């Protein structure tokens, strides 16, 4: 670290994983710019001493202004945490293209844009770290959440390619792939009991998918907390030579091991258990 109070920019910091990361970095003596769109959460972060800013990461002009502000007032960003994003479930046939575009813009394009903005300063200083929050959903595919799998596979490619390109300049890029994380958004979705149109050809599948997801999430040690991810981020940032990618959560590691051992056909059969009529 170059100074006593290095500067961290954390996106998606008004809830869940991002908020936990921002607070833990603040406790580790970072000057944290925590950005998001929830006014109440921003006020809460501000009251705790973080530099909270309202920001839509898909608003390119607003993002440009914020990074320029940090550059002017603090000399640049030492640590970028790309955490902004949201899930998207549903059969691929029924996803609206506008929803899919929004998913890509928020989860993936914004992460690249922010990286492009902070990299010139990092290259000039010869140091800096970018941590991208991916998901084990970017390492395997299951039915019912194809859109989310697609964008998380994209984050894998972005992170690993960018890491190789900027390593010669002394800049580190690390990808964290958590298993399912119990955030307020996720628990709200799990607790919901939507009704399905009888004319919907995917109605039965959607119902069984929701029931299966609730059962799985209720299994002990399947899901982890945002604080678990936040602790992993701090360990990665403080590591002398971090690995390109980390899997967070025992259930995620077990799933990836199982996927590596099975053929595509065997994997598909396991995933469809309980989802077929």
């Amino acid at each position: 670290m170059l100074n006593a109070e290095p500067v961290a920019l954390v996106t998606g910091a008004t809830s869940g994983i991002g908020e936990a990361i921002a607070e833990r970095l603040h406790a580790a003596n970072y000057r944290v710019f925590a950005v998001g769109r929830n006014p109440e959460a921003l006020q809460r972060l501000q009251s705790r001493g973080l530099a909270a800013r309202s920001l839509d990461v898909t608003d390119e002009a607003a993002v440009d202004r914020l990074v320029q502000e940090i550059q002017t007032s603090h000399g640049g960003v030492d640590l970028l945490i790309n955490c902004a994003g949201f899930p998207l479930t549903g059969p691929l046939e029924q996803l609206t293209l506008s929803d899919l575009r929004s998913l890509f813009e928020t989860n993936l394009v914004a992460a690249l844009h922010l990286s492009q903005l902070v990299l010139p300063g990092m290259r000039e200083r010869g140091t800096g770290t970018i941590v991208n929050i991916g998901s084990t959903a970017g390492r395997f595919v299951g039915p019912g959440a194809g859109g989310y799998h697609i964008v998380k596979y994209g984050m894998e490619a972005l992170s690993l390619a960018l890491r190789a390109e900027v390593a010669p300049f002394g800049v580190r890029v690390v990808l964290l792939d958590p298993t399912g994380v119990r955030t307020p958004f996720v628990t709200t979705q799990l607790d919901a009991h939507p009704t399905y149109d009888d004319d919907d050809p995917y109605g039965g599948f959607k119902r069984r998918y929701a029931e299966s997801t609730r059962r799985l999430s209720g299994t002990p040690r399947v899901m982890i907390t945002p604080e678990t991810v936040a602790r992993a981020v701090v360990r990665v940032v403080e590591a002398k030579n971090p690995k390109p990618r980390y899997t967070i959560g025992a259930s995620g590691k077990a799933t990836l091991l199982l996927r590596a051992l099975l053929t595509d056909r065997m994997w598909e059969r396991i995933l469809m258990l309980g989802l077929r009529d």
Side-chain angles (χ1 to χ4, degrees):
M1 297 177 184
L2 294 180
N3 51 66
E5 193 180 43
V7 176
L9 173 57
V10 182
T11 69
T14 52
S15 66
I17 299 172
E19 183 174 9
I21 292 172
E23 292 184 343
R24 188 159 287 271
L25 289 173
H26 176 64
N29 296 318
Y30 277 79
R31 173 65 173 172
V32 179
F33 283 80
V35 303
R37 296 188 296 176
N38 184 318
E40 293 182 359
L42 290 170
Q43 290 180 358
R44 182 171 64 247
L45 292 166
Q46 189 77 43
S47 69
R48 295 173 182 170
L50 289 79
R53 296 286 191 278
S54 177
L55 183 71
D56 179 349
V57 293
T58 66
D59 184 339
E60 294 182 14
V63 172
D64 291 350
R65 288 193 298 270
L66 175 63
V67 174
Q68 183 58 54
E69 174 195 338
I70 298 173
Q71 176 69 36
T72 301
S73 59
H74 296 280
V77 175
D78 300 300
L79 170 63
L80 170 64
I81 309 290
N82 283 311
C83 188
F86 63 93
L88 181 64
T89 59
L92 284 171
E93 181 184 346
Q94 295 182 338
L95 292 187
T96 67
L97 296 184
S98 61
D99 284 346
L100 190 61
R101 291 189 182 100
S102 179
L103 188 74
F104 267 90
E105 290 288 339
T106 303
N107 292 49
L108 195 59
V109 176
L112 177 57
H113 180 212
L114 279 154
S115 299
Q116 291 173 335
L117 292 176
V118 303
L119 275 169
M122 290 181 174
R123 282 192 290 102
E124 183 178 350
R125 296 188 298 274
T127 186
T129 303
I130 297 172
V131 177
N132 292 325
I133 306 301
S135 169
T136 52
R139 312 276 291 279
F140 64 87
V141 175
Y148 189 65
H149 284 292
I150 290 169
V151 79
K152 287 304 182 181
Y153 264 76
M155 180 60 87
E156 302 285 314
L158 184 157
S159 298
L160 297 177
L162 186 63
R163 176 186 172 91
E165 292 170 355
V166 302
F169 304 110
V171 180
R172 310 183 304 178
V173 179
V174 184
L175 173 65
L176 265 62
D177 285 337
T179 188
V181 182
R182 194 172 293 281
T183 65
F185 182 89
V186 170
T187 54
T188 298
Q189 294 294 103
L190 291 173
D191 291 340
H193 292 274
T195 57
Y196 302 104
D197 190 338
D198 291 338
D199 295 330
D200 184 352
Y202 291 98
F205 169 81
K206 291 176 181 177
R207 183 179 62 257
R208 291 186 293 274
Y209 177 85
E211 292 169 352
S212 176
T213 302
R214 279 194 291 271
R215 285 196 303 271
L216 184 62
S217 65
T219 303
R221 293 182 293 278
V222 166
M223 300 186 76
I224 59 177
T225 67
E227 288 71 26
T228 300
V229 183
R231 288 194 296 269
V233 167
V234 173
R235 287 196 300 271
V236 164
V237 171
E238 294 179 345
K240 187 173 183 180
N241 184 27
K243 297 187 295 184
R245 178 168 57 189
Y246 293 83
T247 303
I248 312 301
S251 63
K253 294 175 183 178
T255 301
L256 295 181
L257 176 60
L258 180 63
R259 179 64 189 94
L261 295 174
L262 298 177
T263 66
D264 291 344
R265 194 179 297 277
M266 292 168 65
W267 177 253
E268 182 182 73
R269 286 173 178 168
I270 289 176
L271 289 180
M272 291 305 295
L273 290 175
L275 295 180
R276 291 194 175 99
D277 289 330

